[in-house]
Amino acid sequence: MEDLPAKCVCGHNIGDGTHLLVCKRVNAGQIAAHDVAERTIGAELNSYGVVVRYEPRATHPSEKVRKRTDMELWFDGRSVAVDYTVPNTLILKQRAPGLKYSPLEVRTAAQNIKINKYANLARNNNHEFVPLVAESLGGLGGMAVKLFGEIARAQASTRHPVGHILRRLIDISQIAVQKGNFRRLQKAVAICSTVDPFSNLRVSRDHLRTLG
């Protein structure tokens, strides 16, 4: 990829660009990417009649101590607390190059971490809890797919059949992750480049899907 700088600001060779998605020196946009993806998914759910309430992000240090999920969903007489997370397989590969991490293992581990953290909190507030895990290379966790399937069956109509809703929710979630990767990559290139970093940047979604 001729448009990428040769080296990151940390001194590491950039290569095919995967380093830019894991380096802490250039990855300042992860929270913003998370919030954009969360709102995109929430808007799609709302378009099918699901009532969505977003938890405001903690801004004061004292607020960050309190556990909070990202969204609360109401549909079909159910109230479900959802926490959205994007575990980064590329970081795990960088930390332990000799080990192989399958996206399925990464998603499952992230689901278990979120369940341990939030399940009791949700239960105490009379909510079910579902971790919405979208692994950094695009795959969704099994519990997220199951929840989307339940929503699709509950909210289906003549205009929006079950298969349409389920496919759209899965697609929207996976594309949101890739858009987040692309925005982070753009910002990282801007930091590492010295001249007009955006004018000739050509990184396709297909390339992002093949990273790692």
Side-chain angles (χ1 to χ4, degrees):
M1 296 178 63
E2 66 273 17
D3 296 312
L4 291 177
K7 284 188 176 292
C8 177
V9 293
C10 71
H12 193 284
N13 289 330
I14 288 176
D16 65 1
T18 55
H19 172 77
L20 296 178
L21 293 173
V22 300
C23 179
K24 291 183 178 180
R25 294 280 298 277
V26 296
N27 259 280
Q30 294 184 61
I31 292 176
H34 169 282
D35 290 350
V36 169
E38 172 199 326
R39 296 282 171 157
T40 302
I41 295 166
E44 187 70 19
L45 289 166
N46 188 249
S47 73
Y48 300 121
V50 177
V51 177
V52 180
R53 186 178 80 85
Y54 302 96
E55 272 286 352
R57 181 168 290 282
T59 55
H60 191 274
S62 64
E63 294 178 326
K64 295 181 181 179
V65 176
R66 182 170 71 87
K67 292 180 181 178
R68 62 179 76 205
T69 55
D70 291 322
M71 293 185 286
E72 292 175 3
L73 313 178
W74 285 270
F75 67 96
D76 196 32
R78 297 169 58 185
S79 55
V80 182
V82 172
D83 198 71
Y84 177 71
T85 187
V86 183
N88 196 332
T89 304
L90 297 174
I91 286 180
L92 294 175
K93 287 182 177 181
Q94 186 186 60
R95 288 175 181 168
L99 297 178
K100 289 190 176 181
Y101 293 89
S102 76
L104 175 60
E105 292 173 334
V106 173
R107 295 194 297 268
T108 301
Q111 284 181 167
N112 292 336
I113 289 171
K114 290 295 182 179
I115 289 170
N116 290 336
K117 184 175 181 179
Y118 291 115
N120 287 336
L121 173 68
R123 195 177 301 115
N124 291 340
N125 288 289
N126 299 314
H127 294 313
E128 302 171 49
F129 174 70
V130 176
L132 204 170
V133 176
E135 186 265 331
S136 61
L137 301 181
L140 291 185
M143 296 184 72
V145 175
K146 182 174 181 289
L147 175 65
F148 288 164
E150 292 167 349
I151 290 172
R153 287 188 290 274
Q155 306 301 112
S157 63
T158 303
R159 182 182 177 189
H160 298 302
V162 173
H164 167 83
I165 296 176
L166 178 58
R167 186 69 259 164
R168 279 287 297 170
L169 290 173
I170 291 174
D171 286 348
I172 286 290
S173 301
Q174 292 176 328
I175 291 171
V177 173
Q178 299 306 326
K179 284 183 175 179
N181 285 344
F182 182 69
R183 290 190 186 98
R184 287 165 53 207
L185 190 57
Q186 280 187 314
K187 290 180 180 179
V189 169
I191 293 171
C192 296
S193 299
T194 55
V195 291
D196 199 10
F198 294 104
S199 61
N200 295 310
L201 181 61
R202 297 187 296 275
V203 183
S204 69
R205 183 178 300 155
D206 288 341
H207 175 77
L208 286 173
R209 285 174 174 161
T210 65
L211 297 183

mmCIF file of all heavy atoms in Angstrom, residues 180-207:
data_model
loop_
_atom_site.group_PDB
_atom_site.id
_atom_site.type_symbol
_atom_site.label_atom_id
_atom_site.label_comp_id
_atom_site.label_asym_id
_atom_site.label_seq_id
_atom_site.Cartn_x
_atom_site.Cartn_y
_atom_site.Cartn_z
ATOM 1 N N GLY A 180 -15.334 1.958 11.797
ATOM 2 C CA GLY A 180 -14.520 2.417 12.922
ATOM 3 C C GLY A 180 -13.045 2.160 12.674
ATOM 4 O O GLY A 180 -12.194 3.017 12.952
ATOM 5 N N ASN A 181 -12.718 0.978 12.126
ATOM 6 C CA ASN A 181 -11.327 0.669 11.785
ATOM 7 C C ASN A 181 -10.780 1.672 10.769
ATOM 8 O O ASN A 181 -9.641 2.142 10.882
ATOM 9 C CB ASN A 181 -11.230 -0.743 11.194
ATOM 10 C CG ASN A 181 -11.357 -1.832 12.245
ATOM 11 O OD1 ASN A 181 -11.219 -1.568 13.438
ATOM 12 N ND2 ASN A 181 -11.637 -3.040 11.811
ATOM 13 N N PHE A 182 -11.601 1.996 9.781
ATOM 14 C CA PHE A 182 -11.152 2.902 8.727
ATOM 15 C C PHE A 182 -10.895 4.305 9.288
ATOM 16 O O PHE A 182 -9.884 4.943 8.958
ATOM 17 C CB PHE A 182 -12.195 2.958 7.614
ATOM 18 C CG PHE A 182 -11.797 3.842 6.462
ATOM 19 C CD1 PHE A 182 -10.755 3.467 5.629
ATOM 20 C CD2 PHE A 182 -12.443 5.034 6.221
ATOM 21 C CE1 PHE A 182 -10.363 4.273 4.565
ATOM 22 C CE2 PHE A 182 -12.059 5.845 5.167
ATOM 23 C CZ PHE A 182 -11.028 5.468 4.331
ATOM 24 N N ARG A 183 -11.803 4.776 10.162
ATOM 25 C CA ARG A 183 -11.603 6.112 10.751
ATOM 26 C C ARG A 183 -10.332 6.138 11.605
ATOM 27 O O ARG A 183 -9.571 7.105 11.583
ATOM 28 C CB ARG A 183 -12.818 6.495 11.596
ATOM 29 C CG ARG A 183 -14.066 6.779 10.788
ATOM 30 C CD ARG A 183 -15.158 7.372 11.656
ATOM 31 N NE ARG A 183 -16.401 7.505 10.914
ATOM 32 C CZ ARG A 183 -17.397 6.643 10.961
ATOM 33 N NH1 ARG A 183 -17.304 5.573 11.731
ATOM 34 N NH2 ARG A 183 -18.491 6.838 10.271
ATOM 35 N N ARG A 184 -10.114 5.066 12.373
ATOM 36 C CA ARG A 184 -8.915 5.008 13.206
ATOM 37 C C ARG A 184 -7.668 4.973 12.337
ATOM 38 O O ARG A 184 -6.646 5.588 12.651
ATOM 39 C CB ARG A 184 -8.984 3.785 14.127
ATOM 40 C CG ARG A 184 -9.987 3.942 15.253
ATOM 41 C CD ARG A 184 -10.297 2.609 15.905
ATOM 42 N NE ARG A 184 -9.085 1.930 16.323
ATOM 43 C CZ ARG A 184 -8.979 0.613 16.436
ATOM 44 N NH1 ARG A 184 -9.995 -0.166 16.133
ATOM 45 N NH2 ARG A 184 -7.852 0.070 16.840
ATOM 46 N N LEU A 185 -7.744 4.230 11.231
ATOM 47 C CA LEU A 185 -6.602 4.135 10.325
ATOM 48 C C LEU A 185 -6.313 5.495 9.687
ATOM 49 O O LEU A 185 -5.147 5.903 9.576
ATOM 50 C CB LEU A 185 -6.889 3.092 9.247
ATOM 51 C CG LEU A 185 -5.734 2.666 8.334
ATOM 52 C CD1 LEU A 185 -4.570 2.133 9.158
ATOM 53 C CD2 LEU A 185 -6.210 1.624 7.342
ATOM 54 N N GLN A 186 -7.359 6.211 9.306
ATOM 55 C CA GLN A 186 -7.159 7.545 8.740
ATOM 56 C C GLN A 186 -6.463 8.467 9.737
ATOM 57 O O GLN A 186 -5.532 9.187 9.390
ATOM 58 C CB GLN A 186 -8.499 8.154 8.333
ATOM 59 C CG GLN A 186 -9.030 7.671 7.002
ATOM 60 C CD GLN A 186 -10.264 8.463 6.602
ATOM 61 O OE1 GLN A 186 -11.156 8.680 7.396
ATOM 62 N NE2 GLN A 186 -10.303 8.878 5.354
ATOM 63 N N LYS A 187 -6.940 8.455 10.982
ATOM 64 C CA LYS A 187 -6.340 9.332 11.994
ATOM 65 C C LYS A 187 -4.890 8.949 12.265
ATOM 66 O O LYS A 187 -4.029 9.804 12.448
ATOM 67 C CB LYS A 187 -7.166 9.268 13.283
ATOM 68 C CG LYS A 187 -8.518 9.933 13.160
ATOM 69 C CD LYS A 187 -9.309 9.857 14.459
ATOM 70 C CE LYS A 187 -10.661 10.531 14.308
ATOM 71 N NZ LYS A 187 -11.462 10.457 15.546
ATOM 72 N N ALA A 188 -4.635 7.633 12.301
ATOM 73 C CA ALA A 188 -3.269 7.172 12.541
ATOM 74 C C ALA A 188 -2.344 7.591 11.409
ATOM 75 O O ALA A 188 -1.207 8.020 11.637
ATOM 76 C CB ALA A 188 -3.256 5.650 12.707
ATOM 77 N N VAL A 189 -2.811 7.481 10.157
ATOM 78 C CA VAL A 189 -2.004 7.898 9.007
ATOM 79 C C VAL A 189 -1.737 9.396 9.077
ATOM 80 O O VAL A 189 -0.635 9.872 8.767
ATOM 81 C CB VAL A 189 -2.715 7.524 7.690
ATOM 82 C CG1 VAL A 189 -2.028 8.189 6.493
ATOM 83 C CG2 VAL A 189 -2.709 6.013 7.509
ATOM 84 N N ALA A 190 -2.746 10.159 9.507
ATOM 85 C CA ALA A 190 -2.575 11.602 9.614
ATOM 86 C C ALA A 190 -1.474 11.951 10.608
ATOM 87 O O ALA A 190 -0.695 12.878 10.407
ATOM 88 C CB ALA A 190 -3.891 12.256 10.033
ATOM 89 N N ILE A 191 -1.412 11.197 11.698
ATOM 90 C CA ILE A 191 -0.393 11.445 12.714
ATOM 91 C C ILE A 191 0.990 11.069 12.191
ATOM 92 O O ILE A 191 1.977 11.764 12.446
ATOM 93 C CB ILE A 191 -0.722 10.652 13.998
ATOM 94 C CG1 ILE A 191 -2.003 11.195 14.645
ATOM 95 C CG2 ILE A 191 0.435 10.729 14.994
ATOM 96 C CD1 ILE A 191 -2.519 10.333 15.782
ATOM 97 N N CYS A 192 1.067 9.965 11.453
ATOM 98 C CA CYS A 192 2.364 9.451 11.000
ATOM 99 C C CYS A 192 2.881 10.130 9.731
ATOM 100 O O CYS A 192 4.065 10.042 9.423
ATOM 101 C CB CYS A 192 2.275 7.943 10.748
ATOM 102 S SG CYS A 192 1.927 6.967 12.223
ATOM 103 N N SER A 193 1.984 10.762 8.995
ATOM 104 C CA SER A 193 2.392 11.390 7.733
ATOM 105 C C SER A 193 2.833 12.825 7.971
ATOM 106 O O SER A 193 2.398 13.480 8.909
ATOM 107 C CB SER A 193 1.238 11.372 6.731
ATOM 108 O OG SER A 193 0.854 10.049 6.435
ATOM 109 N N THR A 194 3.648 13.300 7.087
ATOM 110 C CA THR A 194 4.114 14.681 7.217
ATOM 111 C C THR A 194 3.506 15.605 6.171
ATOM 112 O O THR A 194 3.550 16.816 6.312
ATOM 113 C CB THR A 194 5.652 14.745 7.070
ATOM 114 O OG1 THR A 194 6.015 14.141 5.826
ATOM 115 C CG2 THR A 194 6.320 14.007 8.210
ATOM 116 N N VAL A 195 2.933 15.018 5.099
ATOM 117 C CA VAL A 195 2.317 15.859 4.066
ATOM 118 C C VAL A 195 0.958 15.302 3.661
ATOM 119 O O VAL A 195 0.810 14.129 3.402
ATOM 120 C CB VAL A 195 3.204 15.969 2.802
ATOM 121 C CG1 VAL A 195 4.455 16.765 3.083
ATOM 122 C CG2 VAL A 195 3.572 14.588 2.277
ATOM 123 N N ASP A 196 -0.015 16.149 3.662
ATOM 124 C CA ASP A 196 -1.358 15.898 3.112
ATOM 125 C C ASP A 196 -1.775 14.443 3.225
ATOM 126 O O ASP A 196 -1.949 13.761 2.209
ATOM 127 C CB ASP A 196 -1.374 16.312 1.645
ATOM 128 C CG ASP A 196 -2.801 16.534 1.152
ATOM 129 O OD1 ASP A 196 -3.721 16.545 1.985
ATOM 130 O OD2 ASP A 196 -2.984 16.678 -0.068
ATOM 131 N N PRO A 197 -1.969 13.902 4.452
ATOM 132 C CA PRO A 197 -2.179 12.471 4.625
ATOM 133 C C PRO A 197 -3.472 11.939 4.038
ATOM 134 O O PRO A 197 -3.584 10.753 3.786
ATOM 135 C CB PRO A 197 -2.193 12.320 6.149
ATOM 136 C CG PRO A 197 -2.635 13.654 6.653
ATOM 137 C CD PRO A 197 -2.030 14.643 5.709
ATOM 138 N N PHE A 198 -4.485 12.789 3.801
ATOM 139 C CA PHE A 198 -5.778 12.274 3.369
ATOM 140 C C PHE A 198 -5.992 12.334 1.859
ATOM 141 O O PHE A 198 -6.852 11.649 1.340
ATOM 142 C CB PHE A 198 -6.908 13.065 4.050
ATOM 143 C CG PHE A 198 -6.948 12.860 5.538
ATOM 144 C CD1 PHE A 198 -6.480 13.843 6.400
ATOM 145 C CD2 PHE A 198 -7.429 11.688 6.070
ATOM 146 C CE1 PHE A 198 -6.509 13.647 7.762
ATOM 147 C CE2 PHE A 198 -7.463 11.492 7.434
ATOM 148 C CZ PHE A 198 -7.002 12.467 8.286
ATOM 149 N N SER A 199 -5.216 13.155 1.152
ATOM 150 C CA SER A 199 -5.547 13.415 -0.243
ATOM 151 C C SER A 199 -5.444 12.176 -1.120
ATOM 152 O O SER A 199 -6.205 12.014 -2.056
ATOM 153 C CB SER A 199 -4.639 14.510 -0.800
ATOM 154 O OG SER A 199 -3.283 14.101 -0.738
ATOM 155 N N ASN A 200 -4.497 11.292 -0.833
ATOM 156 C CA ASN A 200 -4.309 10.133 -1.704
ATOM 157 C C ASN A 200 -4.506 8.807 -0.985
ATOM 158 O O ASN A 200 -4.082 7.760 -1.471
ATOM 159 C CB ASN A 200 -2.895 10.154 -2.309
ATOM 160 C CG ASN A 200 -2.692 11.332 -3.225
ATOM 161 O OD1 ASN A 200 -3.517 11.562 -4.097
ATOM 162 N ND2 ASN A 200 -1.613 12.088 -3.022
ATOM 163 N N LEU A 201 -5.173 8.845 0.172
ATOM 164 C CA LEU A 201 -5.354 7.614 0.940
ATOM 165 C C LEU A 201 -6.396 6.736 0.264
ATOM 166 O O LEU A 201 -7.529 7.145 0.050
ATOM 167 C CB LEU A 201 -5.802 7.942 2.369
ATOM 168 C CG LEU A 201 -6.013 6.737 3.296
ATOM 169 C CD1 LEU A 201 -4.709 5.963 3.453
ATOM 170 C CD2 LEU A 201 -6.531 7.192 4.649
ATOM 171 N N ARG A 202 -6.002 5.535 -0.111
ATOM 172 C CA ARG A 202 -6.933 4.605 -0.750
ATOM 173 C C ARG A 202 -6.877 3.286 0.020
ATOM 174 O O ARG A 202 -6.002 2.458 -0.183
ATOM 175 C CB ARG A 202 -6.564 4.387 -2.215
ATOM 176 C CG ARG A 202 -6.659 5.639 -3.070
ATOM 177 C CD ARG A 202 -6.435 5.318 -4.544
ATOM 178 N NE ARG A 202 -5.088 4.829 -4.782
ATOM 179 C CZ ARG A 202 -4.049 5.630 -4.972
ATOM 180 N NH1 ARG A 202 -4.189 6.938 -4.916
ATOM 181 N NH2 ARG A 202 -2.862 5.115 -5.190
ATOM 182 N N VAL A 203 -7.822 3.113 0.938
ATOM 183 C CA VAL A 203 -7.905 1.873 1.713
ATOM 184 C C VAL A 203 -9.318 1.343 1.570
ATOM 185 O O VAL A 203 -10.266 1.957 2.023
ATOM 186 C CB VAL A 203 -7.602 2.109 3.216
ATOM 187 C CG1 VAL A 203 -7.615 0.795 3.967
ATOM 188 C CG2 VAL A 203 -6.247 2.788 3.375
ATOM 189 N N SER A 204 -9.479 0.230 0.908
ATOM 190 C CA SER A 204 -10.822 -0.287 0.652
ATOM 191 C C SER A 204 -11.305 -1.105 1.841
ATOM 192 O O SER A 204 -10.542 -1.610 2.639
ATOM 193 C CB SER A 204 -10.802 -1.188 -0.590
ATOM 194 O OG SER A 204 -10.093 -2.386 -0.309
ATOM 195 N N ARG A 205 -12.632 -1.250 1.917
ATOM 196 C CA ARG A 205 -13.233 -2.085 2.965
ATOM 197 C C ARG A 205 -12.777 -3.539 2.803
ATOM 198 O O ARG A 205 -12.567 -4.257 3.756
ATOM 199 C CB ARG A 205 -14.756 -1.981 2.892
ATOM 200 C CG ARG A 205 -15.477 -2.749 3.983
ATOM 201 C CD ARG A 205 -16.971 -2.566 3.880
ATOM 202 N NE ARG A 205 -17.320 -1.160 4.020
ATOM 203 C CZ ARG A 205 -18.417 -0.618 3.531
ATOM 204 N NH1 ARG A 205 -19.247 -1.337 2.836
ATOM 205 N NH2 ARG A 205 -18.681 0.665 3.724
ATOM 206 N N ASP A 206 -12.634 -3.989 1.536
ATOM 207 C CA ASP A 206 -12.181 -5.364 1.309
ATOM 208 C C ASP A 206 -10.805 -5.582 1.917
ATOM 209 O O ASP A 206 -10.532 -6.640 2.496
ATOM 210 C CB ASP A 206 -12.139 -5.663 -0.188
ATOM 211 C CG ASP A 206 -13.533 -5.802 -0.784
ATOM 212 O OD1 ASP A 206 -14.477 -6.022 0.001
ATOM 213 O OD2 ASP A 206 -13.665 -5.686 -2.006
ATOM 214 N N HIS A 207 -9.924 -4.568 1.802
ATOM 215 C CA HIS A 207 -8.599 -4.717 2.391
ATOM 216 C C HIS A 207 -8.702 -4.802 3.903
ATOM 217 O O HIS A 207 -8.049 -5.633 4.539
ATOM 218 C CB HIS A 207 -7.696 -3.562 2.001
ATOM 219 C CG HIS A 207 -6.361 -3.610 2.692
ATOM 220 N ND1 HIS A 207 -5.362 -4.464 2.302
ATOM 221 C CD2 HIS A 207 -5.881 -2.966 3.783
ATOM 222 C CE1 HIS A 207 -4.322 -4.331 3.093
ATOM 223 N NE2 HIS A 207 -4.615 -3.419 4.013
#
